[in-house]
Amino acid sequence: MRFMRAVIVGSGSEIPPNAVTNQMLARIMDTSDEWIRERSGVETRYYVDLGTATSDLGVAAARRALAEGATAPEDVDLVVFATMTPDYYFPGAGPLLQAKLGLRNVPCFDIRQQCVGFLYGLQLVDAHVRAGLARTVLLVGAEVHSGFMPYSAANWDYLYGRSDVPPTPAEHAWNSRFRHLTVLFGDAGAAVVLQAQEDGSRGIVDSVLGTDGADYDKLYVPGTGFKHRPYTDPEQFARGDHIPVMDGRYVFKLAATRMVEVAQQVLARNGLRIDDVALVLMHQANRRINEHCQKALGVPDDKVVHNIHKYGNTTAATIPLLWDECARRGRIRPGDLVLLVAFGAGMSWGATLVRA
Ligand code: COA
């Protein structure tokens, strides 16, 4: 029997044009470069121009990934789009990407596993390829988090230095209410092309994924959902229920524990040790979480790559963005064993081994 594996043959990413430093954020809320840098590691994040949506970032990243993988769009027979910030409530971003790229009328999944979306996507792709249901797959992770930012249009202008009108005291207080969350996130898109290849020496090796919905309310959006009738209304907006709620300390501790556990599980299940891994790419939510995980797993510095300082947390895009940067810099060589690890809202977590 032929044994098929999903091999990453190309990657691409799209960073939006508007760089926002920590000092710029301090123009519209009570925060500081020092606090953000020390607590999270973020120095800059990028936001889209008004009107650019998640599918646009995904399309730009996917075009680069297809070119890099020498793959014709007409060969794609499956799309998996991981995002928590789709252009519309429905349909998802996958169908929009299919149309914009002019792909055949292939199945397009949208998946909503937030910061672990890319790893859940890899497992979905792996299962399709192993089952013989897909041969050429586009897996995209993209987010436009700037839509979650609670700032008024005038405050956006002041943030970018396009106006001299600072926030009113009420606006400043409103912006500061969400500061523990908003400063962490940025917009970005990244994609990989996977091809079914016979052999078994390259490709997705294995994934361990997990979820514990009991903690859903530690990181979630309390409003604009169908628990409400109508699902959105001015009262929800006035309360700020359209902005995510996050218990930062709780999430921090859980992420630090689960990421270590799941990485150890996937290694043990495959008879591997951390020394067998050439590179560890961790979800970029907080540099301190990742430093803890690195230490607990015993990974040397030269096997870990961070880019949170440049982009912040871009949720489903963080891991493919890291992959793309490393591939371009020659940090991922054919045959390297790469360990991917993530944790996010759900709460969900995962670790995936990929032989490049
Ligand atoms: N600027 C300045 N001060 C801020 C601030 C900001 N942006 N955000 C919060 N603070 C203040 C708090 O109000 C608090 O003040 P107080 O002590 O006077 O009450 C103080 O800083 C400490 O807040 P705390 O929330 O305890 O800080 P922390 O060390 O836990 O860091 C996070 C906060 C959010 C950076 C951290 O908890 C974290 O990264 N958690 C994980 C988040 C995550 O990974 N989310 C995505 C999951 S995929």
Side-chain angles (χ1 to χ4, degrees):
M1 199 177 113
R2 293 190 315 161
F3 190 62
M4 304 307 275
R5 277 281 164 83
V7 177
I8 297 179
V9 296
S11 61
S13 48
E14 173 73 359
I15 303 301
N18 303 300
V20 171
T21 62
N22 296 339
Q23 289 90 344
M24 287 164 78
L25 288 176
R27 292 164 66 84
I28 61 164
M29 70 181 83
D30 183 14
T31 191
S32 67
D33 176 51
E34 193 191 7
W35 192 96
I36 301 172
R37 206 182 275 256
E38 272 180 14
R39 301 288 175 127
S40 71
V42 183
E43 296 171 19
T44 321
R45 73 286 293 142
Y46 291 79
Y47 297 140
V48 296
D49 286 328
L50 198 57
T52 301
T54 295
S55 70
D56 300 315
L57 297 181
V59 164
R63 283 210 171 98
R64 293 197 180 106
L66 288 167
E68 191 70 27
T71 304
E74 54 271 24
D75 288 341
V76 172
D77 56 10
L78 177 71
V79 171
V80 180
F81 201 129
T83 186
M84 59 180 266
T85 52
D87 307 21
Y88 303 109
Y89 211 105
F90 73 86
L96 305 179
L97 175 126
Q98 179 271 334
K100 289 180 192 179
L101 284 176
L103 305 180
R104 288 184 292 125
N105 300 134
V106 299
C108 294
F109 286 94
D110 265 62
I111 61 168
R112 288 183 37 168
Q113 271 68 34
Q114 293 67 244
C115 297
V116 204
F118 188 76
L119 300 195
Y120 272 68
L122 280 176
Q123 201 201 45
L124 198 56
V125 173
D126 190 28
H128 273 76
V129 166
R130 284 177 194 245
L133 295 171
R135 294 196 61 86
T136 306
V137 187
L138 202 43
L139 171 60
V140 182
E143 307 286 354
V144 171
H145 285 306
S146 44
F148 275 134
M149 305 300 154
Y151 325 136
S152 68
N155 287 183
W156 275 106
D157 283 344
Y158 192 71
L159 169 72
Y160 285 136
R162 296 171 189 159
S163 127
D164 296 330
V165 184
T168 63
E171 287 172 336
H172 195 269
W174 176 257
N175 298 343
S176 300
R177 182 182 142 191
F178 305 101
R179 63 184 180 170
H180 64 292
L181 182 95
T182 49
V183 301
L184 303 176
F185 291 89
D187 303 339
V192 294
V193 176
L194 299 109
Q195 269 170 9
Q197 289 185 11
E198 215 170 328
D199 157 22
S201 66
R202 293 180 66 200
I204 300 171
V205 177
D206 195 14
S207 305
V208 175
L209 306 176
T211 300
D212 184 358
D215 278 331
Y216 81 93
D217 58 352
K218 299 295 189 279
L219 180 51
Y220 81 124
V221 181
T224 65
F226 290 86
K227 194 176 173 185
H228 304 274
R229 192 184 299 169
Y231 77 99
T232 184
D233 57 45
E235 288 75 31
Q236 292 180 48
F237 280 89
R239 286 196 299 270
D241 286 353
H242 56 303
I243 313 293
V245 164
M246 180 175 76
D247 181 340
R249 283 191 180 189
Y250 190 90
V251 174
F252 187 107
K253 280 189 203 138
L254 211 54
T257 312
R258 290 292 192 195
M259 283 170 63
V260 174
E261 280 171 7
V262 76
Q264 287 168 338
Q265 281 165 7
V266 80
L267 288 168
R269 191 156 94 174
N270 290 277
L272 293 162
R273 293 176 313 123
I274 198 71
D275 298 347
D276 298 316
V277 172
L279 196 63
V280 180
L281 303 183
M282 286 181 271
H283 171 55
Q284 304 289 295
N286 186 307
R287 175 128 187 172
R288 290 187 299 146
I289 293 176
N290 291 359
E291 284 169 353
H292 164 86
C293 294
Q294 177 185 344
K295 203 168 158 209
L297 289 168
V299 190
D301 284 348
D302 63 345
K303 288 189 177 180
V304 179
V305 181
H306 305 273
N307 64 10
I308 189 168
H309 55 291
K310 289 192 275 186
Y311 309 118
N313 182 352
T314 59
T315 302
T318 58
I319 290 182
L321 191 53
L322 273 176
W323 181 285
D324 188 43
E325 282 194 344
C326 290
R328 261 161 231 294
R329 284 199 230 122
R331 293 278 317 255
I332 298 178
R333 291 170 301 271
D336 278 353
L337 186 65
V338 185
L339 173 63
L340 315 175
V341 193
F343 180 88
M347 312 266 43
S348 296
W349 54 89
T352 305
L353 284 167
V354 179
R355 181 78 65 183

